[in-house]
Amino acid sequence: MKTDVQKISAMGWDNCFVLRSGPVEVVATANIGPRIMFFGLTGGKNLYKLFDGQAGRSGDETFLFYGGHRLWAAPEDPYLTYIPDNDPVQVSYGEDDFLTFTRPADDSQLERRLSMRVATYQDVEMIHDMVDSDNGAGLLGSFVVKHEIINRGDLPVKSASWGISSFIPGGIGFFPMDRRTLPEKHLQAQFSINLWPYSDLSNPGYQWKDEWLQIDQPATSVKQKIGAWNPRPWLAYRLEDLMIVIQMTGSQKDQEQYPDLGSNCEIYFDPDMLELEFLS
């Protein structure tokens, strides 16, 4: 399935690119970033959170959150993470049908690339059996997003690519707790949860189920975050009658190789938004 790319102006930026999959479209801007700034139904509202007064801006000297989907370097650190991404990025199209946005190496010596394309049958089958065998309906509204961080300096840097999607408030998040284990290990611990200094498990936003944690975003009045390593990582957010599911492809390496005490998936939420986050 060839990615159909259209160049447009959107949200105050004049250098944007839109991809469509069935009724869903994503819009990335090359004026800053790399950033994906719109995700939603064609002609519908943006499901990504955009911060007031920041859409359409570029060239600022200090870091801006903007909103949307961003590529960060993990673990969270003032030097690696909060370097401003307010300048134009390079755009290329070709390899494996990906549209790629490249931010050249900055003061951290890290080059950052975000690539995206419309999903194919092969992409979906790599994740889970989402494709309807009769009509392939599982492909509609599906995209592949790839994150890369490349060290262009002379010294080693221990970091991980970190893809973060910021969504508008008002929904329910889903955080899986994969409790499956081998029969011979049924007496051993099988799942652990990682917390941040501001994590409060008594917060009314947490609704504990047997195999997943539901996040009631409107129920919180303060910021919260939770993370874990999951052998089949996925996260989801239900907004009104829409369900957004993000899944990672490929096998997951040993938990100890991931940042944030071994997390490969995390959810952050506060009164204004909910974020689905994945780490390499």
Side-chain angles (χ1 to χ4, degrees):
M1 181 184 299
K2 185 174 179 57
T3 295
D4 183 16
V5 181
Q6 179 183 358
K7 186 175 180 180
I8 62 170
S9 296
M11 296 160 288
W13 289 291
D14 60 3
N15 193 15
C16 298
F17 299 81
V18 58
L19 275 66
R20 296 183 178 91
S21 174
V24 180
E25 68 179 34
V26 295
V27 179
T29 179
N31 291 105
I32 58 169
R35 297 265 182 162
I36 305 174
M37 302 308 299
F38 180 92
F39 175 83
L41 298 177
T42 300
K45 66 181 178 182
N46 192 358
L47 302 181
Y48 277 154
K49 164 75 176 180
L50 297 186
F51 285 84
D52 293 340
Q54 297 186 12
R57 289 175 61 169
S58 62
D60 286 77
E61 294 184 359
T62 58
F63 177 83
L64 297 178
F65 273 98
Y66 293 110
H69 176 90
R70 65 189 185 272
L71 169 57
W72 262 7
E76 192 162 351
D77 172 89
Y79 180 65
L80 287 179
T81 306
Y82 289 93
I83 296 177
D85 56 351
N86 305 325
D87 296 322
V89 297
Q90 302 166 359
V91 183
S92 60
Y93 179 68
E95 183 180 355
D96 295 331
D97 210 24
F98 276 106
L99 179 65
T100 299
F101 301 81
T102 302
R103 174 179 162 192
D106 47 36
D107 291 342
S108 69
Q109 301 302 308
L110 299 181
E111 177 184 301
R112 304 165 203 231
R113 294 180 183 174
L114 187 154
S115 305
M116 60 183 191
R117 72 178 179 198
V118 175
T120 66
Y121 286 98
Q122 291 76 17
D123 294 323
V124 175
E125 290 170 356
M126 283 176 61
I127 307 171
H128 286 296
D129 186 18
M130 296 170 56
V131 177
D132 187 301
S133 59
D134 294 327
N135 57 26
L139 281 174
L140 297 180
S142 298
F143 301 87
V144 176
V145 179
K146 182 169 64 174
H147 308 89
E148 298 174 277
I149 294 182
I150 302 169
N151 184 3
R152 296 301 188 189
D154 297 326
L155 300 176
V157 177
K158 189 173 184 179
S159 183
S161 63
W162 186 7
I164 303 174
S165 295
S166 304
F167 293 99
I168 58 176
I172 300 293
F174 295 88
F175 185 91
M177 297 185 291
D178 195 324
R179 306 288 299 278
R180 287 172 288 187
T181 188
L182 297 174
E184 62 269 22
K185 294 185 177 181
H186 74 283
L187 297 178
Q188 301 175 19
Q190 60 184 166
F191 191 83
S192 60
I193 293 173
N194 299 322
L195 305 177
W196 277 250
Y198 51 86
S199 302
D200 178 6
L201 296 184
S202 67
N203 187 283
Y206 295 112
Q207 299 179 6
W208 298 92
K209 309 298 180 180
D210 182 45
E211 295 184 349
W212 70 88
L213 169 63
Q214 283 186 200
I215 306 295
D216 185 357
Q217 183 277 328
T220 189
S221 60
V222 295
K223 65 180 183 180
Q224 293 290 306
K225 189 167 186 179
I226 193 164
W229 183 86
N230 196 313
R232 286 163 288 273
W234 61 269
L235 297 170
Y237 191 41
R238 187 179 69 226
L239 279 166
E240 300 171 357
D241 58 346
L242 298 173
M243 177 71 84
I244 303 145
V245 181
I246 305 179
Q247 297 171 290
M248 291 177 66
T249 62
S251 60
Q252 301 301 297
K253 298 182 179 181
D254 189 276
Q255 181 176 354
E256 295 181 358
Q257 299 184 44
Y258 291 82
D260 293 334
L261 299 179
S263 298
N264 62 0
C265 54
E266 303 170 350
I267 288 185
Y268 168 90
F269 62 106
D270 62 28
D272 299 316
M273 64 179 179
L274 181 143
E275 293 185 333
L276 305 183
E277 310 181 0
F278 291 88
L279 303 105
S280 67

